[in-house]
């Protein structure tokens, strides 16, 4: 965490009026009591100005319904909305809201970034962030990599909570210099050589919908190592991969394939990670690669999937994806996907690889996946589906199976 009292920091200049924060300046910084509440209105730069003048533990309440400039939150404060305000990005590669401190809460805003890359970003290595009850929409297209609604940056992160947000209307399109135009609802964006670990983290009760990319729309992507992570009760739907080269004459980049995934686990190591009660449906991929509810591109051995509704052509693909079945997945860690609903009372079908799956209402599994027992019916809000040969559907689902025993 950076030193907010460094002698040339932007905060020191703005709060004290001095190039170097002296004793008097520090006194003014510490004069606001922890837990103080300040109201903000007026739009434009008013929210950033309030953040720059705030102290640790302060709450900034935005009371009007106007539009605010992009904001960098570099002190441990809560910013929340009592009106209906919008924070709008500048359409560039930065985020509309950039979190650059520990213990920051962003609550109740509409966040947009038309023609920009990012909605809300937790920058590298910060802990204790809460992103709650926001609507992140109208982000992209940029023609560059990785349009994303909420992104958690590289490095280690602890105690991250992303809950009750709606992420919608994200778009990424190809241009002549576009690279690989993916779009992500929520992304844990790790460095390949040093991924870092996310601990005590929850991604719960979010809705991700109406996400489109010329090549790859993705709902939730986890690239960090995980230890104590919950991805529960999210709805991921209406993700569309559509290479529109033919329909858009200005788009002359043809990738000749598309893919679309509800959840992607690309973690090199997973521990104590649960994915429960999510609904993943209406995901389409225009060319070659069938849509997947869950794709395991890393280690799925420490993840348990329970009481999810996998209503996509491929329910779970444990890495053996698009290579015509030439890769043997038997050495992959087994993915524990018992007691889920696969779109049919008969459970999932097995497929050797992605393109071998049937694109029908009954989801397929690919690779080393333990899916039995399964739920015969969709689970209710806390389960309620019926397991097959397995007793109680899962630890939370309370589904009654046919035959004895407990489903694990």
């Amino acid at each position: 965490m950076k030193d907010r009292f460094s002698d040339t920091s932007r905060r020191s200049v703005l709060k004290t009026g001095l190039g170097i924060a002296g004793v008097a300046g520090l006194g003014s910084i510490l004069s606001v009591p922890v837990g103080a509440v300040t109201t903000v209105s007026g739009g434009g730069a008013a929210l950033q100005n309030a953040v720059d003048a705030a102290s640790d533990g302060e709450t900034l309440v935005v009371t009007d319904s106007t539009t605010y400039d992009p904001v960098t939150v570099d002190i441990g404060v809560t910013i929340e909305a009592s009106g209906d305000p919008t924070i709008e990005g500048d359409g560039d590669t930065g985020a509309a809201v950039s979190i650059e401190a520990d213990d920051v809460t962003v609550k109740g805003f509409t966040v947009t970034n038309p023609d920009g890359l990012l909605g809300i970003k937790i920058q590298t290595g910060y802990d204790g962030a809460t992103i709650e009850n926001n609507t992140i929409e109208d982000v992209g297209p940029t023609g560059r990599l990785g349009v994303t609604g909420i992104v958690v940056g590289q490095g280690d992160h602890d105690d991250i909570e992303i809950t009750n947000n709606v992420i919608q209307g994200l778009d990424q399109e190809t241009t002549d210099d576009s690279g690989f135009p993916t779009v992500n609802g929520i992304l844990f964006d790790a460095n390949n050589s040093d991924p870092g670990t996310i601990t005590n983290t929850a991604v719960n009760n979010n809705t991700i919908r109406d996400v489109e990319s010329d090549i790859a729309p993705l709902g939730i992507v986890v690239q960090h190592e995980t230890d104590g992570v919950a991805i529960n009760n999210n709805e991921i739907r209406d993700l569309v991969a559509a290479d529109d080269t033919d329909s858009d004459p200005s788009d002359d980049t043809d990738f000749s394939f598309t893919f679309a995934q509800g959840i992607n686990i690309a973690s090199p190591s997973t521990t104590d990670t649960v994915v429960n009660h999510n609904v993943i449906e209406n995901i389409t991929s225009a060319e070659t690669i069938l849509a997947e509810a869950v794709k395991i591109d890393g280690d799925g051995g420490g993840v348990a999937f329970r009481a999810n509704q996998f209503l996509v052509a491929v329910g779970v693909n444990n890495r053996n994806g698009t290579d015509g079945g030439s890769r043997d997945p038997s050495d992959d860690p087994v993915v524990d996907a018992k007691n889920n609903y696969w779109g049919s009372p008969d459970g999932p079908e097995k497929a050797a690889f992605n393109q071998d799956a049937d694109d029908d209402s009954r989801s397929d599994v690919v690779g080393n996946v333990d899916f039995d027992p399964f739920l015969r019916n969709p689970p209710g809000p806390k389960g309620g589906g019926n397991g097959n040969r397995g007793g109680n559907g899962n630890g939370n689902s309370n589904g009654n199976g046919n035959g004895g025993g407990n489903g694990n």
Side-chain angles (χ1 to χ4, degrees):
M1 182 176 177
K2 72 179 183 180
D3 179 3
R4 284 190 291 272
F5 303 131
S6 61
D7 57 1
T8 58
S9 72
R10 176 172 62 90
R11 176 169 302 282
S12 297
V13 173
L14 290 169
K15 290 184 70 64
T16 67
L18 301 174
I20 299 177
V23 174
L26 287 175
S28 66
I29 290 174
L30 299 175
S31 62
V32 178
V34 172
V37 177
T38 300
T39 59
V40 181
S41 62
L47 180 55
Q48 183 66 69
N49 292 339
V51 170
D52 292 336
S55 296
D56 269 317
E58 194 169 348
T59 297
L60 308 176
V61 180
V62 179
T63 58
D64 59 11
S65 301
T66 56
T67 299
Y68 289 82
D69 296 342
V71 61
T72 296
V73 187
D74 56 357
I75 188 169
V77 296
T78 294
I79 62 171
E80 65 179 60
S82 66
D84 187 21
T86 297
I87 301 173
E88 183 170 311
D90 59 12
D92 205 343
T93 58
V97 179
S98 180
I99 295 174
E100 302 181 12
D102 293 338
D103 303 321
V104 171
T105 295
V106 179
K107 183 176 181 180
F109 291 88
T110 296
V111 177
T112 69
N113 199 354
D115 299 319
L117 198 65
L118 306 174
I120 300 174
K121 182 172 184 179
I122 303 168
Q123 299 289 348
T124 299
Y126 292 108
D127 301 330
T130 299
I131 302 172
E132 181 181 1
N133 292 330
N134 302 285
T135 297
I136 298 97
E137 62 185 9
D138 192 14
V139 181
T142 67
R144 294 181 293 272
L145 285 172
V147 163
T148 304
I150 299 173
V151 56
V152 179
Q154 299 174 2
D156 296 334
H157 296 271
D158 181 62
D159 192 25
I160 304 297
E161 185 173 344
I162 301 172
T163 59
N164 295 304
N165 302 284
V166 175
I167 302 169
Q168 62 186 7
L170 311 185
D171 184 25
Q172 183 63 300
E173 299 174 5
T174 55
T175 63
D176 289 344
D177 59 349
S178 63
F180 199 70
T182 61
V183 57
N184 313 281
I186 298 171
L187 170 64
F188 290 84
D189 183 22
N191 184 307
N192 289 335
S193 61
D194 185 15
T197 303
I198 52 173
T199 54
N200 304 310
T201 289
V203 181
N204 295 339
N205 302 303
N206 301 284
T207 298
I208 301 172
R209 64 192 180 201
D210 300 324
V211 174
E212 183 170 351
S213 168
D214 281 0
I215 187 167
L218 309 169
I220 299 171
V221 180
V222 182
Q223 298 175 346
H224 292 73
E225 296 183 354
T226 67
D227 187 0
V229 173
I231 302 174
N232 296 335
N233 298 301
N234 301 285
E235 297 183 7
I236 303 172
R237 56 170 55 94
D238 301 322
L239 275 57
V240 178
D243 188 342
D244 62 359
T245 302
D246 296 333
S247 62
D248 184 357
S250 67
D251 177 3
D252 59 2
T253 304
D254 186 0
F255 289 94
S256 74
F257 68 93
T258 62
F259 60 94
Q261 299 163 358
I263 297 174
N264 180 284
I265 304 295
S267 309
S269 174
T270 53
T271 303
D272 191 22
T273 298
V274 296
V275 181
N276 297 335
H277 296 285
N278 301 281
V279 179
I280 305 174
E281 63 182 351
N282 196 22
I283 299 178
T284 58
S285 177
E287 298 185 40
T288 309
I289 303 173
L290 294 174
E292 297 165 322
V294 175
K295 178 67 180 296
I296 308 296
D297 276 324
D299 170 29
V303 186
F305 297 86
R306 294 289 186 271
N308 299 283
Q309 297 185 52
F310 297 136
L311 309 178
V312 181
V314 177
V316 176
N317 182 349
N318 189 11
R319 295 179 59 188
N320 186 30
T322 61
D323 56 5
S326 62
R327 180 181 175 280
D328 183 356
S330 60
D331 292 333
D332 291 336
V334 177
V335 170
D336 180 359
K338 296 186 285 291
N339 296 302
N340 296 285
Y341 179 67
W342 304 83
S344 166
D346 298 321
E349 296 180 281
K350 293 183 179 181
F353 57 98
N354 176 284
Q355 292 86 6
D356 190 46
D358 295 326
D359 189 7
D360 57 18
S361 60
R362 184 180 176 191
S363 287
D364 289 39
V365 296
V366 176
N368 210 359
V369 180
D370 185 0
F371 58 81
D372 194 356
F374 50 81
L375 301 184
R376 290 183 175 276
N377 299 299
K382 290 188 178 180
N386 294 322
N388 178 43
R389 299 191 306 277
N392 297 322
N394 72 73
N396 294 316
S397 68
N398 301 318
N400 295 318
N402 299 320
N406 294 319
N408 296 314

